Amino acid sequence: MNLSDTAPIQDSLAASAVRLSSIHSRDLLQDTARNDALKHALAGCHFDFSRQRVDQQALAELIRFATSIDLPAKRDAMLAGARINKSENREVLHTALRRGAAGVSKSINIEVAETKRRLYACVEAIRSCRWRGYTGKPIRDVVHIGIGGSHLGPELLVNALAHLPSAQKAPNIHFVANVDAQDISRALGGLSPETTLFIVVSKSFSTLETQVNANTARSWFLERTGNLDALGQHFLGVTTNLTAASEFGFSKENLFPLWDWVGGRFSLWSAVGLPIMLKIGCEAFDQLLDGARAADEHFAQSALDQNIPVLAALLATWNTSHLGCDSLAVLSYDQRLAVLPDYLQQLEMESNGKSVDINGDPIDYRTMQVLWGGCGTNGQHAYHQLLHQGTSKFAADFILVGEGDTGHSEHHQWLLANGIAQGQAMTLGHLPANEGEQHKRVQGNHPSTTVVLNSLGPEQIGCLLAIYEHKVFCQGVLWNINSFDQWGVELGKQLALPIFAQLSGEDASTQDPATRHLIDHCLGLNRAE
Ligand code: F6P
């Protein structure tokens, strides 16, 4: 399929965009049937797309577009384990991690179940203090070493779910991702090797940052204990590359497998989620998987016009391709979700930041816009000025949580009031009463989606994250790109290798002038120290 085959539908979508350009969102909201068609509920999450800039006609055209490019058949192929990641010749089966994925091969289900059994046994042993360090003391601190998909999901959920009763008896979890030594120094400061457990997570086991940090952690442990035999009680690994992990020194029983059919940014449901399991316990982790499975079933079974990730993807591509939105702001109105924009940045931008189609041919349309964001209400006193009165075109996702911190109902009511009001201002805008007050004009008409989680429980957040995963897949199909590779990150990794050597004094004369200047400048600074 080539997107040019869909030219007639694209033409009617373009005509709708022109038609809608003269209709303000405040007028679109007068159509109750339209508003109702844009609100959906699932697993304790309420998805409200009514502040998007579509009417029923545009919505119908978008659905027609999804049908014309066989989105349902492509969804079914992914869920059944087709090798849709063509550039790496891999299946895309993160849904198989969410218990009982129908249609997936028996051997995959057996491997997933067996790994989960081992993980849960390990988690129970650590949380119940049966797992002891080399001097016989229980584990108090866990240091998770990993980056990108081997970091962001665990950090997001460990923070988001720290309020659960089951999280109160967990060890402290610390995250180390950056190759900057400040990160690991901060994490290790004040920890005792006797009561610290390290989890090294790397799908490839070749990621530079994780290797450097894992080596530093190992040295830190050995310098303080002098006990090589104790490593087994203090280091666990998660990887697909069992050979490289064994060379690092992990024993078989301390390693948990990953599979190449799980993309890094889709992997929090696997052994990558070990710190989440340690934090919230196995029962709550099962609820997280239940929430994701509810999203999987909804995605697999719902009609396109009722299908939340399909609608989210159609509206996102509409905003990018037809309304010209340059960025997507993810605005979390809950401090516990502070890492959500970072997590979604990787999920959406690494997946869909592409400029060739599924066959490797260059494309001439826009794909994923820049995703950024932060926490409300703080952002209101920083960048919301630009959102309300700047010249950029953007879309926003508001994430609200109905049930807040039980002890502070006034805070929570203000938080919700602000989250709802900001979306209102971005939609309706404001026309000043007096001619001379144009500086107070807020144009509004910015498309936004509001998601309200009933409460911040494992099931709700599991559902929310799986909906975003499926949205990413659907956007990839709509743009005819491969959402599951990330070749663009390789060039920078290669370029850093000679520069690392040149910063130790190797000849840099073959570098381009700008790079040579920066290497010389940094060498000069280090010499001056
Ligand atoms: O460099 C990008 C990337 O490959 C991501 O896709 C991935 O999540 C991250 O690095 C970490 O990779 P790994 O788990 O193999 O260490």
Side-chain angles (χ1 to χ4, degrees):
M1 196 267 319
N2 191 310
L3 282 193
S4 55
D5 300 344
T6 64
I9 301 176
Q10 294 294 345
D11 288 348
S12 47
L13 281 168
S16 272
V18 172
R19 178 171 50 76
L20 284 163
S21 65
S22 58
I23 306 177
H24 197 280
S25 297
R26 65 176 88 92
D27 300 317
L28 290 174
L29 278 166
Q30 301 312 311
D31 180 347
T32 315
R34 165 205 174 270
N35 299 345
D36 290 346
L38 288 165
K39 288 176 198 151
H40 299 274
L42 181 69
C45 306
H46 174 75
F47 295 84
D48 185 344
F49 300 111
S50 64
R51 286 172 168 171
Q52 292 286 340
R53 281 184 55 199
V54 280
D55 59 6
Q56 299 223 66
Q57 184 184 330
L59 199 57
E61 284 161 354
L62 285 167
I63 300 290
R64 208 149 55 79
F65 174 44
T67 310
S68 74
I69 58 166
D70 292 333
L71 179 61
K74 289 178 179 154
R75 167 198 64 195
D76 296 346
M78 175 185 73
L79 295 174
R83 290 184 181 264
I84 61 167
N85 177 358
K86 289 208 162 76
S87 72
E88 296 177 317
N89 191 27
R90 289 178 183 165
E91 300 140 311
V92 174
L93 274 175
H94 45 277
T95 48
L97 299 163
R98 274 98 81 140
R99 296 195 305 177
V104 171
S105 82
K106 213 169 162 191
S107 63
I108 284 184
N109 278 339
I110 291 170
E111 275 188 79
V112 170
E114 170 55 13
T115 305
K116 196 162 157 227
R117 187 196 60 72
R118 286 184 56 220
L119 283 163
Y120 279 16
C122 171
V123 168
E124 292 299 352
I126 294 168
R127 281 173 56 92
S128 66
C129 301
R130 274 186 290 113
W131 183 296
R132 300 274 161 159
Y134 73 105
T135 57
K137 293 186 180 167
I139 299 301
R140 287 194 214 300
D141 293 281
V142 172
V143 179
H144 174 102
I145 299 175
I147 197 162
S150 295
H151 159 229
L152 291 163
E155 186 170 34
L156 166 64
L157 288 167
V158 163
N159 290 337
L161 298 174
H163 60 282
L164 295 184
S166 63
Q168 307 317 311
K169 57 178 182 183
N172 305 311
I173 317 268
H174 313 264
F175 290 94
V176 176
N178 201 331
V179 76
D180 184 339
Q182 317 243 7
D183 208 16
I184 192 159
S185 303
R186 174 200 42 78
L188 295 180
L191 300 193
S192 160
E194 290 177 89
T195 53
T196 299
L197 180 79
F198 292 91
I199 309 176
V200 180
V201 183
S202 177
K203 183 178 164 186
S204 60
F205 219 83
S206 64
T207 301
L208 172 97
E209 290 88 336
T210 303
Q211 285 196 327
V212 172
N213 281 322
N215 282 329
T216 300
R218 194 174 189 269
S219 305
W220 177 90
F221 183 82
L222 291 177
E223 277 158 20
R224 281 158 185 78
T225 64
N227 189 345
L228 199 58
D229 295 337
L231 280 178
Q233 283 150 280
H234 292 268
F235 277 78
L236 300 175
V238 178
T239 187
T240 54
N241 190 347
L242 299 174
T243 313
S246 308
E247 281 160 17
F248 177 87
F250 285 107
S251 59
K252 206 171 149 227
E253 55 278 13
N254 284 358
L255 281 176
F256 295 98
L258 257 184
W259 303 276
D260 66 5
W261 42 262
V262 187
R265 51 193 175 271
F266 299 85
S267 67
L268 71 91
W269 325 95
S270 70
V272 171
L274 182 53
I276 311 168
M277 300 170 204
L278 285 169
K279 184 72 182 176
I280 66 176
C282 302
E283 207 180 310
F285 194 82
D286 273 342
Q287 290 164 4
L288 182 80
L289 298 179
D290 288 344
R293 199 178 67 242
D296 296 343
E297 285 168 2
H298 166 88
F299 178 48
Q301 291 160 15
S302 304
L304 295 186
D305 62 352
Q306 302 294 315
N307 200 309
I308 296 164
V310 171
L311 290 171
L314 285 168
L315 291 165
T317 49
W318 165 256
N319 288 339
T320 314
S321 307
H322 295 281
L323 304 189
C325 294
D326 299 320
S327 75
L328 173 63
V330 175
L331 307 171
S332 308
Y333 274 73
D334 196 302
Q335 200 68 37
R336 295 169 293 183
L337 295 175
V339 181
L340 184 64
D342 295 10
Y343 172 81
L344 292 178
Q345 249 173 4
Q346 190 203 10
L347 183 65
E348 298 222 21
M349 291 167 75
E350 199 172 70
S351 298
N352 286 334
K354 307 284 165 64
S355 51
V356 294
D357 70 12
I358 195 87
N359 303 312
D361 295 326
I363 53 181
D364 61 359
Y365 45 87
R366 300 178 64 191
T367 57
M368 184 61 203
Q369 70 272 58
V370 172
L371 187 156
W372 63 284
C375 257
T377 58
N378 302 21
Q380 292 172 210
H381 302 273
Y383 43 78
H384 280 228
Q385 164 61 34
L386 179 147
L387 299 182
H388 293 306
Q389 287 192 314
T391 52
S392 292
K393 288 190 175 174
F394 67 91
D397 281 3
F398 285 87
I399 314 292
L400 276 50
V401 179
E403 190 181 282
D405 187 327
T406 42
H408 298 94
S409 54
E410 187 192 346
H411 283 256
H412 191 64
Q413 205 167 317
W414 278 120
L415 187 63
L416 282 180
N418 275 280
I420 296 169
Q422 288 296 311
Q424 183 181 37
M426 285 175 200
T427 309
L428 304 184
H430 168 72
L431 297 173
N434 302 323
E435 252 309 294
E437 292 192 324
Q438 284 308 310
H439 55 281
K440 293 188 180 170
R441 185 170 186 274
V442 174
Q443 78 174 60
N445 220 12
H446 298 290
S448 67
T449 293
T450 310
V451 183
V452 187
L453 309 186
N454 289 356
S455 61
L456 193 47
E459 196 177 352
Q460 288 78 37
I461 187 138
C463 173
L464 177 73
L465 298 184
I467 290 285
Y468 270 107
E469 288 181 345
H470 295 318
K471 172 198 168 198
V472 162
F473 163 78
C474 293
Q475 279 180 280
V477 173
L478 296 170
W479 283 322
N480 198 29
I481 58 179
N482 181 358
S483 305
F484 300 100
D485 61 9
Q486 58 286 318
W487 293 100
V489 301
E490 296 306 323
L491 175 63
K493 292 183 191 177
Q494 295 308 320
L495 293 177
L497 296 173
I499 297 176
F500 177 82
Q502 288 151 7
L503 286 170
S504 306
E506 256 188 33
D507 178 25
S509 57
T510 53
Q511 291 284 10
D512 68 273
T515 306
R516 200 168 60 233
H517 164 74
L518 290 171
I519 293 170
D520 286 347
H521 185 71
C522 291
L523 276 171
L525 290 177
N526 283 324
R527 264 197 298 273
E529 267 175 14

